Amino acid sequence: MSTVQITRFRRAWLGVRYLLGVLLSGVTALLALHLVLVGVALIPAGGLGLVVLPRVMEFLTRATEAERRRGSRYLGEEFVSRPDERPPHTVLARWNHVMRSASTWRTARFLLVWVPLGVAYGLLGVIALLGTPSALIKASLWWLLPGGETTFFGVGVTNWPFAIVGGLGEGVAFAALFWWGAPFLARGYARLVVRLTSPSEIELRAERLSERVEELSHTRAEALRAHGSELRRIERDLHDGTQARLVALAMRVGIAERMVSDDPEKAVHLLREARSGAEDAMAELRDVIRTMYPPILTDRGLDGAVSAVAGRCAVPTSVRMGELGSLPAAVEAAAYFVIAETLTNVAKHSQARSAQVDLSRDGAELTIRVVDDGVGGALEHGGTGLAGLRRRVAALDGTTTVTSPAGGPTTVEAVLPCAS
């Protein structure tokens, strides 16, 4: 047998095998259809159908996804899985969830085609597989049965010449069905399944919109959490540091005021201490302000600030920066903190010999990438500040990716949207 014939036989066998699977799924769908009808009939019976029907439809939806996956695999097409949503536990909530799902109604429409065509195509697969051997057996053993019981093409066999001709003819016909018909039928059914079970463009847009709303809700929660943490930190810094120093300053000035006539020298000493305390309070205030929006960004811009941070890093760090254009202040601050925090981690934990900072802008997105040649193995929950960094980026609807296999290298990439 030549290579072409082997390939053709394999294609025919795969087609038959797919059709046999179609028969199995079609029979399963037929049984499930009866359960659906039972579920509908049980709705007036004390609402029992409200419990049965959602579970049957959930099973059918998963079976439909499996059928679509099988069809896509047979056609050699990419299968995009639709993640299952966890159904609610209460009866009415589960009923509403199933009935409002687009996949439920898509499954119901497909069920009307799935049962008759699935069974019919599956039976054709059985005939393609067993037809030729069956014809040859009938041609050989026709004489064991009463006259006319064995038929070829619907005509009863009464003598050997007709048995030979009829058996060969039927065998050739079934062989043709196996050789050419099965792949053709299998591809046609697979295309029909993929088309009927795939979500429409409107449903895909609705799903993308729903995912976007969920993503924005998550981002908003992260932003609120980051904002709350920042407010608590500022309040703590002001309360424990600056406010305490200002209180001590006021006490020293008050004491000095009372002592200025009795002990001028001691009063001058207290005023000197008060001045020193005022300077310390101002320094702490500047530190607090720097953490809100680094003054270096105002003085030197993002490129100068990044170069300064890289220059101060204990690990030799090079900076590569494209044309960034004008960036919103929040994006500049977030980018600065991402780079500063990441380089701090590099210096503390990575054991790296060098690091590279890349900043580039592609349209409405600013990409920050920090790569080091250290030992890798960075953990987001290992107290390295990566979780806080991710929250800060997520607060601006950005994304953070950390790649740090054991042995290195470690790459931290943050993408920040720049559109206002």
Side-chain angles (χ1 to χ4, degrees), residues 280-344:
D280 290 343
M282 291 175 61
E284 287 190 2
L285 273 176
R286 281 196 294 271
D287 290 341
V288 172
I289 293 171
R290 281 195 189 96
T291 60
M292 297 168 66
Y293 186 80
I296 193 171
L297 287 175
T298 305
D299 298 337
R300 302 174 60 176
L302 181 58
D303 51 349
V306 171
S307 299
V309 170
R312 291 197 302 268
C313 184
V315 175
T317 304
S318 58
V319 178
R320 193 163 52 198
M321 197 174 305
E323 181 60 41
L324 303 182
S326 178
L327 295 172
V331 174
E332 282 191 337
Y336 176 79
F337 281 119
V338 166
I339 294 169
E341 180 68 31
T342 306
L343 289 182
T344 299

Side-chain angles (χ1 to χ4, degrees), residues 201-271:
E201 188 59 34
I202 295 176
E203 290 172 343
L204 287 175
R205 280 204 296 269
E207 284 185 11
R208 285 195 290 268
L209 183 60
S210 175
E211 290 171 357
R212 182 59 179 154
V213 169
E214 186 177 347
E215 182 182 345
L216 287 176
S217 299
H218 176 72
T219 301
R220 180 177 176 274
E222 289 292 336
L224 290 175
R225 190 183 307 172
H227 181 64
S229 299
E230 194 69 6
L231 285 179
R232 285 193 293 274
R233 184 191 61 76
I234 293 172
E235 188 275 339
R236 188 173 58 249
D237 290 348
L238 292 176
H239 181 271
D240 297 343
T242 310
Q243 181 176 284
R245 290 186 182 281
L246 290 176
V247 170
L249 172 63
M251 290 176 63
R252 286 194 180 93
V253 170
I255 295 171
E257 187 180 15
R258 289 195 297 272
M259 295 179 65
V260 68
S261 56
D262 299 333
D263 190 350
E265 188 175 341
K266 185 68 176 290
V268 169
H269 177 70
L270 288 172
L271 288 173

Side-chain angles (χ1 to χ4, degrees), residues 127-142:
I127 293 172
L129 179 65
L130 302 178
T132 300
S134 170
L136 296 179
I137 292 172
K138 283 193 302 180
S140 304
L141 304 177
W142 70 272

Side-chain angles (χ1 to χ4, degrees), residues 20-106:
L20 295 179
V22 168
L23 177 61
L24 181 63
S25 70
V27 171
T28 305
L30 179 61
L31 297 176
L33 177 61
H34 285 81
L35 290 178
V36 170
L37 298 176
V38 170
V40 173
L42 288 177
I43 291 178
L48 189 58
L50 299 179
V51 179
V52 175
L53 199 53
R55 283 166 172 75
V56 176
M57 291 309 300
E58 287 167 5
F59 165 75
L60 275 173
T61 301
R62 287 194 292 273
T64 301
E65 276 296 284
E67 194 67 4
R68 186 165 71 91
R69 183 190 302 114
R70 224 164 54 84
S72 299
R73 188 183 303 152
Y74 181 76
L75 295 172
E77 297 177 352
E78 182 185 6
F79 172 75
V80 180
S81 176
R82 321 299 305 176
D84 289 339
E85 295 182 26
R86 187 181 294 276
H89 294 294
T90 60
V91 174
L92 288 180
R94 193 165 194 155
W95 169 270
N96 289 330
H97 172 77
V98 171
M99 290 301 113
R100 290 178 180 175
S101 174
S103 59
T104 299
W105 297 105
R106 195 164 56 242

Side-chain angles (χ1 to χ4, degrees), residues 105-179:
W105 297 105
R106 195 164 56 242
T107 298
R109 289 194 300 269
F110 175 61
L111 190 59
L112 300 177
V113 176
W114 191 3
V115 171
L117 289 188
V119 173
Y121 275 68
L123 289 176
L124 287 173
V126 173
I127 293 172
L129 179 65
L130 302 178
T132 300
S134 170
L136 296 179
I137 292 172
K138 283 193 302 180
S140 304
L141 304 177
W142 70 272
W143 52 274
L144 294 177
L145 298 175
E149 286 290 322
T150 303
T151 62
F152 291 113
F153 302 109
V155 180
V157 181
T158 56
N159 54 59
W160 273 106
F162 181 73
I164 295 172
V165 174
L168 288 177
E170 201 172 85
V172 170
F174 289 140
L177 178 63
F178 174 87
W179 198 255

